[in-house]
Amino acid sequence: MPTLFAPTTAPRTAGRLSPLPLVAVCLGYFMVILDVTVVTVALPAVGGALHTGVTGLQWVVDGYTLVFAGLLLFCGGLGDRLGGRPVFLGGLLVFTLASAGCALAPTATVLVLARLVQGLGAALMVPASLALLRTAYPGRAARARAFGVWGTVAGLAAGAGPVLGGVLVAGLGWRSVFFLNLPTGLAALALTIRHVPDSPADRTRPGLDLPAQTAAAMGLAGLVTGCIEAGALGWTHPAVLGAFAGCLAGLVAFLLLERRSPAPMLPLPLFRTRAFSASAVIGLLLNTGFYGLLFLAPLYFQRVHHYSALRTGCALLPAVGVVAVGSALAGRITARTGPRLPMVVGLAVGAAGLSGWLLAGPGTPYPALVAPMACAGFGTALTMPAATAAVMEAAPGERSGAAAAVFNAARQVGSALGVALFGTLVATHLVAGLHLAVAMGAAGFLAAAVLSARCIPGTARADGRAPGKRT
């Protein structure tokens, strides 16, 4: 058996690429995305068991996403410097141990702290996972299919989170949603050590940019804190305004430090490629709408229709059942036509699904929401693998870790904003706030569709790389 840091060549089976690297990477990624949503249905049980209110529960969800998003750029640069495999393995280990801490947490404070550590493990894994897939599957068509499976796993994990959470909470209690990660994490560690080849490392790069990382974390923390606390304190409260001021200061400091850094963790020249810049914005808008809906839908079913946790999970099945089909279809279409077509179509369908939630009210029958949930899930699943492929094709190989980090940071910022902002909108009136939230989400999807049509390449060049336009 190779050591953790030994270079491993891409394994082949009977003359073709082995699926085992994809299985290993997707197991880790499944845990990462699952833990964004699996606690949603479990929140009432967590609040009752640990005696915490709505604000504490928001931090259980967004504390994880906040660290995840805030450290992605740093961890992407770390993967470029050290190679994706050791960083991915380190993330798996941290995430698995933190999951045990979540499951055993005696208080809400300990649970939030363990969720913060989970976010660190997730940030280490995700950029490295894309870089590892790019190395393990070097052909454009094979890589597009691998990204399609990767996106399928993301969609399944996101959609299955509430369903699985409802089943586990009803049968074994809320702690079981975190214990689930232990066998999954151990299996992913074993497969990665044995079968996953390392991605190229640029060990000549100068040291990592810690001041810029601190500024980025401050900016993101200020943004999420302001959105969460505005629900309880109001948008004009001094603490909320101070959080937004901290966000602005952190963002300005981050950009200034990155421009002067010899080894920026966010290579600003990447944004000269229109496809790359547009994909990052699209990832943010996509996750804001989709994850915001996944946060609000269980609240709607439980508080308005008084569903149990298990019934709530089952009610969300229409958003899950179409995910595998949409992601698999996206991988095939992207391999043949490029990412533009599945992105435009997926975002348009997703916008229609979000708009369908304007029908939701106290007397709305459940069947009226089946099609909107299915459209939102299918549209998101169709878009995400194609957007991932667009980002990775637009970036040079030696910057694949940083490119993956930028894209996933944008997505996780969107997830944090969706939970924080949409949660604030429903703080006083759930149904009215839900209507405003889905209208905003649908508008974001439509804006992303326009960006896709204008900036994302529709076909690949002869050498297999996307013809990203430069500004």
Side-chain angles (χ1 to χ4, degrees):
M1 179 179 292
T3 63
L4 290 182
F5 303 101
T8 305
T9 57
R12 294 178 180 269
T13 303
R16 59 184 176 83
L17 291 172
S18 169
L20 291 176
L22 181 60
V23 173
V25 168
C26 286
L27 276 176
Y29 191 49
F30 181 84
M31 292 194 303
V32 167
I33 302 302
L34 182 72
D35 273 53
V36 176
T37 61
V38 72
V39 299
T40 303
V41 175
L43 287 177
V46 172
L50 301 183
H51 310 290
T52 187
V54 174
T55 300
L57 295 179
Q58 279 184 290
W59 279 112
V60 170
V61 177
D62 258 359
Y64 171 79
T65 309
L66 177 63
V67 176
F68 186 10
L71 293 179
L72 272 170
L73 292 173
F74 176 80
C75 293
L78 190 66
D80 286 341
R81 180 180 175 84
L82 301 179
R85 190 163 171 264
V87 173
F88 184 76
L89 285 167
L92 271 174
L93 184 60
V94 169
F95 192 93
T96 304
L97 293 175
S99 296
C102 290
L104 299 172
T107 66
T109 300
V110 174
L111 176 58
V112 171
L113 290 175
R115 290 281 284 172
L116 296 177
V117 179
Q118 269 192 318
L120 169 61
L124 287 166
M125 276 193 281
V126 171
S129 70
L130 286 172
L132 291 174
L133 287 182
R134 182 169 180 161
T135 301
Y137 303 97
R140 189 182 76 88
R143 187 166 61 242
R145 293 188 185 97
F147 287 154
V149 174
W150 188 84
T152 301
V153 168
L156 284 174
V163 180
L164 185 59
V167 172
L168 290 174
V169 170
L172 300 173
W174 69 267
R175 297 181 188 275
S176 62
V177 303
F178 298 110
F179 275 128
L180 177 66
N181 291 331
L182 272 62
T184 308
L186 292 175
L189 278 166
L191 286 172
T192 302
I193 291 170
R194 180 68 181 89
H195 296 289
V196 177
D198 202 357
S199 60
D202 184 6
R203 300 184 187 277
T204 63
R205 292 183 66 193
L208 297 169
D209 197 351
L210 293 178
Q213 172 61 62
T214 302
M218 182 180 74
L220 181 57
L223 177 63
V224 173
T225 300
C227 289
I228 288 178
E229 298 299 332
L233 302 177
W235 292 97
T236 59
H237 191 277
V240 174
L241 295 178
F244 288 135
C247 169
L248 181 60
L251 176 62
V252 172
F254 173 75
L255 292 175
L256 291 175
L257 289 167
E258 287 294 90
R259 290 187 62 183
R260 299 176 181 179
S261 173
M265 62 178 182
L266 175 60
L268 297 179
L270 284 175
F271 289 94
R272 295 173 185 167
T273 303
R274 290 180 63 187
F276 182 88
S277 301
S279 296
V281 175
I282 290 165
L284 185 147
L285 294 173
L286 184 72
N287 273 36
T288 298
F290 182 63
Y291 285 95
L293 176 63
L294 284 183
F295 180 76
L296 294 185
L299 294 178
Y300 168 77
F301 286 129
Q302 292 188 44
R303 295 185 179 181
V304 177
H305 291 286
H306 308 292
Y307 285 8
S308 66
L310 179 58
R311 190 178 179 186
T312 297
C314 293
L316 295 172
L317 280 172
V320 183
V322 296
V323 166
V325 176
S327 296
L329 185 62
R332 293 179 178 273
I333 295 175
T334 302
R336 294 182 179 182
T337 70
R340 181 196 299 158
L341 178 62
M343 290 175 70
V344 172
V345 173
L347 288 162
V349 172
L354 287 168
S355 299
W357 273 83
L358 293 171
L359 298 173
T364 304
Y366 172 74
L369 299 175
V370 170
M373 282 191 284
C375 287
F378 181 80
T380 300
L382 191 63
T383 304
M384 189 53 62
T388 302
V391 165
M392 298 306 290
E393 295 292 351
E398 68 276 9
R399 292 297 188 186
S400 59
V406 171
F407 179 61
N408 284 284
R411 289 181 57 206
Q412 296 312 315
V413 169
S415 298
L417 279 177
V419 172
L421 182 58
F422 288 11
T424 296
L425 292 176
V426 301
T428 55
H429 193 288
L430 198 152
V431 172
L434 172 64
H435 289 169
L436 179 57
V438 295
M440 293 172 59
F445 268 53
L446 291 175
V450 172
L451 272 178
S452 300
R454 292 178 58 87
C455 302
I456 302 299
T459 58
R461 300 188 316 218
D463 61 2
R465 287 182 56 80
K469 298 178 183 179
R470 295 185 175 273
T471 55

